[in-house]
């Protein structure tokens, strides 16, 4: 029964992916092709693979998507309690004790033509909490801002800061790049 469920999940993922593509559009870095869905269904058991330790800030992760695009992806830095003159994170999201934090990201496309976005980036905390980028922006957010979406061609880079609303009394342990084009998330450790 488990093999049948895995096969069904792979076919469903392939159908969803195919439904999102048209002949007029180029796949983006975050799109997932049928081979990726098949690979995920037949990937080794977690006990058979050793996860990579988180990278240090400033360390580049080079990878190639299923579509053949080659990227160099780097988290340049992390800063907490930024943008003190704008609407506070607490006011924006009706929270208590939250502040704005920024991740400095650089992505270079080494081969191909593809799109990038801020949405695969996630902050991971020791207690298991995960925080996604803010969907709002204010004039005093750290500059330059990482784009919501950008198209790159071979040789192009994009760098900027993505802002998150985070608990002011905690720091994330890791910064994750969670694109569906990777078999597992790329991780950078956040210094204490």
């Amino acid at each position: 029964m488990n093999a049948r469920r895995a096969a069904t999940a792979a076919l469903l993922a392939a159908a969803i992916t195919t439904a999102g593509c048209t002949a007029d559009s180029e796949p983006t870095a975050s799109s997932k092709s049928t081979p990726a869905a098949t690979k995920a269904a037949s990937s080794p058991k977690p006990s058979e693979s050793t996860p990579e330790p988180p990278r240090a800030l400033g360390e580049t992760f080079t990878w190639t998507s299923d579509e053949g695009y080659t990227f160099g992806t780097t988290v340049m830095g992390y800063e907490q309690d930024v943008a003190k003159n704008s609407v506070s994170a607490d006011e924006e999201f009706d929270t208590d004790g939250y502040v704005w934090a920024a991740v400095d990201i650089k992505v270079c496309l080494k081969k191909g033509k593809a799109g990038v976005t801020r949405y695969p980036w996630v902050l991971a905390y020791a207690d298991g909490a995960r925080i996604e980028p803010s969907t709002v922006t204010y004039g005093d957010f750290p500059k330059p801002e990482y784009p919501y979406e950008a198209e790159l061609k071979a040789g192009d880079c994009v760098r900027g800061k993505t802002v998150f609303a985070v608990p002011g009394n905690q720091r994330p342990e890791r910064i994750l790049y969670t694109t569906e084009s990777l078999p597992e998330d790329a991780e950078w450790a956040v210094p204490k």
Side-chain angles (χ1 to χ4, degrees), residues 8 29 64 106 142 174 185:
T8 302
T64 302
K106 182 177 182 180
R174 296 166 290 135
D185 299 341

Side-chain angles (χ1 to χ4, degrees), residues 130-166:
R130 301 272 172 115
I131 297 178
E132 296 178 349
S134 173
T135 57
V136 300
T137 186
Y138 289 100
D140 71 335
F141 275 10
K143 304 289 188 256
E145 288 187 51
Y146 192 83
Y148 284 97
E149 293 182 352
E151 287 292 322
L152 302 177
K153 63 182 186 307
D156 285 349
C157 293
V158 62
R159 182 176 178 180
K161 296 178 180 180
T162 295
V163 175
F164 298 76
V166 301

Side-chain angles (χ1 to χ4, degrees), residues 75 78-81 89-90 92-93 95-103 105 118-136 141 162-178 185-186 188 190:
V75 174
Y78 174 83
E79 186 178 3
Q80 193 155 309
D81 204 11
D90 281 339
E92 182 66 42
F93 297 108
T95 54
D96 187 28
Y98 275 57
V99 297
W100 298 115
V103 175
I105 302 163
R118 66 175 56 188
Y119 294 108
W121 294 94
V122 175
L123 300 179
Y125 287 79
D127 64 2
R130 301 272 172 115
I131 297 178
E132 296 178 349
S134 173
T135 57
V136 300
F141 275 10
T162 295
V163 175
F164 298 76
V166 301
N169 62 351
Q170 297 178 39
R171 284 179 70 84
E173 280 188 330
R174 296 166 290 135
I175 299 166
L176 309 178
Y177 186 57
T178 64
D185 299 341
W188 287 262
V190 175

Side-chain angles (χ1 to χ4, degrees), residues 16-32:
I16 291 169
T17 300
T18 304
C21 297
T22 66
D24 296 299
S25 66
E26 294 244 352
T28 63
S30 63
S31 66
K32 189 174 184 180

Side-chain angles (χ1 to χ4, degrees), residues 34-56:
T34 304
T38 305
K39 186 180 354 174
S42 63
S43 63
K45 295 176 185 169
S47 62
E48 294 176 13
S49 64
T50 304
E52 285 188 41
R55 291 161 187 76

